[in-house]
Amino acid sequence: MALWPWHAERILRKEMNQPTDFLYIAVILISIGIYGLVVKRNALRLIFSIELIANAVNLVLIAFSRMLPSPQGQVFVLFSIAISAAEVAVGLGIIIIAYRFYKDIDITEYKNLKN
Amino acid sequence: MVDSIFIGLSVITIGSAILSLESRELLYGGIALAVSMLGIAGYFIILDAPFVAMFQIAVYVGAVAVLIIFTVMLVRAPNTITKKETRKRKIAGILLGLAFLILAGSILGNSAATQLKFNDTVPIFDVQAIGKELLTYYSPVLLVLALTLAAAVIGALALARREDIEERNEPTN
Amino acid sequence: MSTPALVTIILGSVALLIPIIDALNKERGSKNKVYSAIAFGALALALIVVIYRIFSGENLPAMSLANSGAIGDDIFGAFFSIAFLIVSIMVTVSSWSYMKKRSNHAAYYSLILLSSIGMILIGYSTDFVMLLVAWELMSIPTYALAAFNKKDPISNEASIKYFLFGALSSAIIVLAMGIVYGLTGTTNIYDSIVAMSHLNADLVPFALLAVGLFIAGFGFKMGLVPFHMWLPDTYSGAPTTIATLLAAGTKKAGFAAAIRVIVIGMIALNVHWTFTLAIIAIFTMTLGNFGALTQKSIPRILAYSSIAQAGYILIGLAVAPYSDYGLDASLLQIMNHAVMKSAAFIAAASVIITLAAYTIEKYKGLGFRMPITAFVFAISLLALAGVPPLSGFWGKYLIFGAAIDSGQVVWWGPYLAIAGILNSALSLGYYAWIIRKMYMEEGENRVRQKEPKPMVAVLLFALGFMVIFGIWYGPLLDLASMAVPNDLIHLLSAN
């Protein structure tokens, strides 16, 4: 059972961190993601931003799971991680095809649809 | 002790998150993203979720980030910083990000949210508890997840398949 | 065995078998027809199963919520399944001719089947995690399908936009679900709604944030107005049969999720966010119709008109707490719109593969060159505009009726109906313009073209649906009102 050295002992102490600390970190990460989505026009940077938001959301879920406490939040995060891995695999495939067309991955180059 | 770990993790996570978007080279951005994901895994360990932390390292850092870095190396774009990234757009981005930060921060900062407390007397959920949830209540979800991953594999294969090779073999009618 | 499990097994095994057969198959040559027939068979079997389960005498609840586990078996889900399966069957059969000249058939049909499983499971899911995974099962195949014309940069661009907005919307949905989970401690939709109705007053801002995030996340797929920027580009750039699946299928799945989560949740919470939905509905209708007026390409006009149609459906959701038949009307319109929009897009696809014509100018004289396609296209446009006695009329009539009915409780109800009627008149303008081009103006020639037979069959089926259920709308309306959990709504709004 001693898979983890801290298995028997709790890492988190009552007097130390509170849920809001983790939620603030998540909010900051989401703000960085929003900034990236607005400013960046490189398709890969946009995926970076989306991944940052997804990670922050997972942090929110785990913090809630620890606070409540219930294991369902952890299961939720497992599903969420698996799903975003699948999503990124398809998305990167699309971006590589785009690179074959334009030799660039800047989405401002993609203007075919504006008529 | 724990607090210093928390502060250190925060600096690493947020710093590398900013770096992943602002680095000059896209490749360094990808690596910084992987570091940021590792930082998130560190938070998971602090929050008594070691199994999820392992999963995060294996899937996010080990698969997603590596996949992204490979893609970055495949699509060596000549100019990684574009002229399209104008000052106007940058100001709008900073303002929107700050707006969300202040909105969510003010919701968090009010008295109700600060009442949320971690409970120290409950047992830690280990792999057994998670596995039990996965195989009882969430078992249909697990089966659907298998279909989702199959869909991703079929979709990615269909996208990656080279058309020009295939066409030579197909009869033209 | 419950209906969703049966349907998932039927469609899932066929969806996974098709690529395996393709990989084992050594002989060269296109197997398009075989795969299309297999996929059609599986979808038809699933449709029969779903319809049989409704009328088999087992007492299915309207919306199974309490003690249901991760997935329920109810008439609400069955109603949406019927709509999704009809759309998928129409797409599969018309792909028979659309995919003839393209490659990679096995993956194409397999992805369509997987995506329809996702849509069906969204209709049935009673748990947030199930909803999320089903949402992704619906979305991931469509990202790949939208980029299926690999030689066409437009298709690729459509897919990139769709993927970026889709990935963002799923992150937003997870955040909203996470906040609800944090407030209530459960991921079951019904349990969390019940827990939310006893929420500590200090925590209400979090609940409001969650509702807003849900509207944004589902709104991206539904094409509601601040979140619609990707939609015209994607619908017009993706292969036209896939655009059918997106407009008639995934958009309706967004509504299924929205009714399950937002509408029932708001009724229970007694939160007056319905006014927000009403404002979004008005903006969505107006912007969609004005956008359609300025376009020249037929797929783009259809895309903007589908934005407008989402606005009409949203009226029914906005007045649901105040009028007993708001949700019935919305469900009826969802079913009708699925068939009408599929018919319009498949007619456009038929024109594209026969004449390679996209712009409205090329549609001149189409009534003589492709008579059946042009006739069904005209009928479906009239049905979309809501001309009686076609099926689109009854949905709109009931929606506007419900909006006026809700005027007894809320002051803005009748104004919604007025806005909807004005918008219908506006939309009739550009629909009539297209019909005029097809029949009144002289095109290049009057040579009758050979119309692709599978598409003609699909279009005739849609024509039958639109005319028969336009005159004899009773059965569909009964089915829709069977799917609405009225007793549950009364129970929730009472306390």
Side-chain angles (χ1 to χ4, degrees):
Chain A
M1 284 298 278
L3 180 65
W4 297 83
W6 50 79
H7 184 87
E9 205 182 342
R10 209 174 283 286
I11 295 276
L12 193 70
R13 302 274 171 214
K14 195 192 261 169
E15 65 273 17
M16 293 295 184
N17 298 112
Q18 289 310 328
T20 40
D21 298 345
F22 295 95
L23 298 184
Y24 275 124
I25 298 292
V27 165
I28 292 171
L29 283 175
I30 293 175
S31 309
I32 294 171
I34 291 173
Y35 160 79
L37 284 174
V38 176
V39 173
K40 300 296 168 187
R41 277 298 161 265
N42 182 317
L44 275 170
R45 298 258 196 214
L46 293 177
I47 288 193
F48 288 3
S49 309
I50 290 170
E51 286 306 308
L52 283 177
I53 294 177
N55 268 287
V57 169
N58 290 345
L59 179 59
V60 170
L61 271 164
I62 292 286
F64 281 143
S65 157
R66 176 69 184 76
M67 178 193 82
L68 283 167
S70 85
Q72 292 177 335
Q74 297 194 22
V75 180
F76 201 151
V77 173
L78 293 183
F79 283 116
S80 164
I81 291 175
I83 274 170
S84 54
E87 211 172 43
V88 163
V90 175
L92 291 180
I94 299 167
I95 285 179
I96 287 179
I97 297 178
Y99 179 71
R100 281 195 211 146
F101 285 123
Y102 300 98
K103 297 290 167 234
D104 199 351
I105 47 172
D106 195 315
I107 61 166
T108 42
E109 296 288 321
Y110 308 163
K111 278 192 182 135
N112 283 308
L113 286 170
K114 300 270 152 57
N115 51 349
Chain B
M1 165 63 180
V2 174
D3 230 1
S4 63
I5 290 178
F6 180 83
I7 290 168
L9 270 179
S10 306
V11 170
I12 292 173
T13 311
I14 292 171
S16 53
I18 294 171
L19 192 67
S20 74
L21 292 177
E22 289 300 332
S23 69
R24 226 154 229 296
E25 277 278 333
L26 202 50
L27 184 60
Y28 297 149
I31 293 167
L33 185 69
V35 174
S36 180
M37 287 166 172
L38 267 177
I40 298 281
Y43 286 123
F44 290 173
I45 290 173
I46 295 185
L47 286 166
D48 293 331
F51 181 64
V52 183
M54 249 226 329
F55 202 76
Q56 165 95 1
I57 293 172
V59 177
Y60 254 129
V61 185
V64 174
V66 170
L67 200 63
I68 287 178
I69 290 170
F70 264 112
T71 315
V72 170
M73 297 205 286
L74 274 177
V75 294
R76 269 297 163 113
N79 49 341
T80 42
I81 293 199
T82 55
K83 290 158 257 124
K84 314 291 192 317
E85 204 176 289
T86 53
R87 176 178 286 273
K88 215 194 237 170
R89 193 181 275 288
K90 199 153 199 167
I91 292 169
I94 290 173
L95 282 181
L96 259 174
L98 276 180
F100 180 82
L101 192 67
I102 291 166
L103 175 77
S106 63
I107 292 178
L108 279 179
N110 75 9
S111 57
T114 45
Q115 284 162 16
L116 306 173
K117 289 278 188 296
F118 285 133
N119 191 346
D120 255 6
T121 53
V122 291
I124 310 170
F125 299 112
D126 52 0
V127 184
Q128 266 179 0
I130 296 169
K132 202 175 155 199
E133 285 284 329
L134 271 179
L135 292 180
T136 53
Y137 182 78
Y138 290 108
S139 55
V141 190
L142 199 63
L143 298 176
V144 178
L145 181 71
L147 281 177
T148 310
L149 295 181
V153 169
I154 294 171
L157 279 180
L159 289 176
R161 207 158 156 185
R162 291 288 290 272
E163 300 276 294
D164 40 280
I165 298 170
E166 194 181 318
E167 251 166 43
R168 229 180 292 137
N169 297 328
E170 253 178 44
T172 48
N173 43 355
Chain C
M1 202 183 274
S2 66
T3 326
L6 268 174
V7 172
T8 310
I9 290 170
I10 295 169
L11 296 182
S13 53
V14 174
L16 297 182
L17 264 178
I18 290 176
I20 294 174
I21 294 172
D22 190 58
L24 295 179
N25 183 23
K26 284 288 188 288
E27 61 184 286
R28 283 288 151 194
S30 152
K31 289 278 179 296
N32 181 25
K33 286 181 184 173
V34 182
Y35 298 144
S36 176
I38 295 174
F40 169 74
L43 289 165
L45 183 62
L47 185 60
I48 290 168
V49 167
V50 172
I51 293 177
Y52 172 76
R53 292 282 297 198
I54 296 179
F55 298 107
S56 66
E58 269 178 88
N59 254 332
L60 295 183
M63 197 187 265
S64 63
L65 287 168
N67 309 321
S68 53
I71 197 151
D73 185 0
D74 50 21
I75 296 180
F76 179 83
F79 183 86
F80 274 95
S81 303
I82 292 172
F84 298 146
L85 285 167
I86 288 176
V87 170
S88 301
I89 287 174
M90 288 170 82
V91 170
T92 315
V93 176
S94 55
S95 298
W96 185 314
S97 34
Y98 191 82
M99 290 300 287
K100 209 183 250 168
K101 298 274 168 60
R102 294 158 218 262
S103 54
N104 237 342
H105 301 114
Y108 179 84
Y109 291 110
S110 163
L111 289 174
I112 286 183
L113 288 177
L114 287 168
S115 182
S116 32
I117 297 175
M119 294 178 213
I120 289 165
L121 290 180
I122 288 173
Y124 278 112
S125 56
T126 54
D127 186 277
F128 282 127
V129 184
M130 186 75 213
L131 186 61
L132 174 73
V133 176
W135 186 266
E136 287 302 320
L137 179 55
M138 169 189 83
S139 306
I140 290 176
T142 50
Y143 300 147
L145 284 171
F148 225 74
N149 282 352
K150 273 191 280 180
K151 300 209 188 69
D152 186 2
I154 295 178
S155 165
N156 184 261
E157 182 186 338
S159 180
I160 282 200
K161 281 196 176 137
Y162 181 40
F163 168 75
L164 289 174
F165 281 109
L168 179 64
S169 82
S170 57
I172 292 173
I173 291 170
V174 183
L175 180 56
M177 289 172 177
I179 293 172
V180 172
Y181 164 73
L183 292 176
T184 63
T186 169
T187 62
N188 189 296
I189 293 177
Y190 181 75
D191 292 349
S192 54
I193 284 172
V194 169
M196 286 282 252
S197 57
H198 309 297
L199 197 65
N200 181 355
D202 293 341
L203 292 172
V204 165
F206 283 100
L208 292 181
L209 185 66
V211 172
L213 288 170
F214 268 126
I215 292 176
F218 295 143
F220 271 114
K221 274 278 175 341
M222 292 192 274
L224 305 184
V225 143
F227 320 108
H228 70 290
M229 334 58 143
W230 58 276
L231 196 143
D233 291 348
T234 302
Y235 285 12
S236 56
T240 317
T241 45
I242 299 309
T244 316
L245 191 69
L246 294 178
T250 59
K251 178 172 260 198
K252 304 300 170 298
F255 278 103
I259 292 174
R260 278 246 186 228
V261 177
I262 302 173
V263 175
I264 301 293
M266 280 200 300
I267 291 168
L269 279 178
N270 225 348
V271 179
H272 295 291
W273 270 61
T274 42
F275 186 59
T276 321
L277 283 187
I279 289 174
I280 294 177
I282 289 179
F283 272 104
T284 308
M285 286 185 296
T286 318
L287 224 124
N289 280 324
F290 274 107
L293 277 175
T294 60
Q295 298 300 321
K296 290 190 180 62
S297 126
I298 293 285
R300 280 183 89 84
I301 291 178
L302 290 177
Y304 273 104
S305 113
S306 96
I307 296 178
Q309 296 283 339
Y312 301 132
I313 298 171
L314 200 63
I315 293 179
L317 303 197
V319 301
Y322 316 114
S323 169
D324 267 349
Y325 54 100
L327 273 184
D328 302 25
S330 277
L331 287 181
L332 182 65
Q333 179 71 353
I334 282 171
M335 179 71 95
N336 284 330
H337 179 249
V339 177
M340 297 184 294
K341 194 52 106 190
S342 306
F345 262 112
I346 287 170
S350 168
V351 176
I352 285 169
I353 58 170
T354 332
L355 300 173
Y358 288 86
T359 56
I360 193 166
E361 290 304 314
K362 291 266 180 69
Y363 274 60
K364 276 182 189 167
L366 194 75
F368 309 105
R369 302 178 78 188
M370 300 177 69
I372 301 173
T373 309
F375 180 67
V376 181
F377 191 39
I379 291 291
S380 69
L381 290 180
L382 289 176
L384 282 169
V387 173
L390 297 168
S391 63
F393 169 71
W394 295 107
K396 275 192 184 170
Y397 175 74
L398 282 173
I399 285 177
F400 299 152
I404 291 168
D405 182 41
S406 74
Q408 296 166 351
V409 190
V410 281
W411 59 269
W412 41 264
Y415 292 97
L416 271 179
I418 293 168
I421 291 165
L422 286 179
N423 264 297
S424 296
L426 186 66
S427 69
L428 196 58
Y430 59 85
Y431 293 138
W433 178 248
I434 299 175
I435 295 170
R436 198 183 106 90
K437 285 265 177 205
M438 287 196 299
Y439 283 100
M440 304 288 183
E441 289 186 22
E442 203 62 38
E444 294 160 35
N445 51 43
R446 284 199 173 199
V447 182
R448 189 170 169 177
Q449 303 283 327
K450 206 172 147 227
E451 297 172 70
K453 283 201 186 65
M455 289 199 175
V456 168
V458 170
L459 290 175
L460 289 178
F461 161 76
L463 179 70
F465 188 98
M466 286 185 287
V467 172
I468 290 171
F469 287 116
I471 297 162
W472 187 48
Y473 64 95
L476 267 190
L477 185 60
D478 287 347
L479 191 61
S481 45
M482 268 160 79
V484 176
N486 269 323
D487 46 345
L488 181 84
I489 290 175
H490 288 306
L491 186 80
L492 285 173
S493 52
N495 53 25

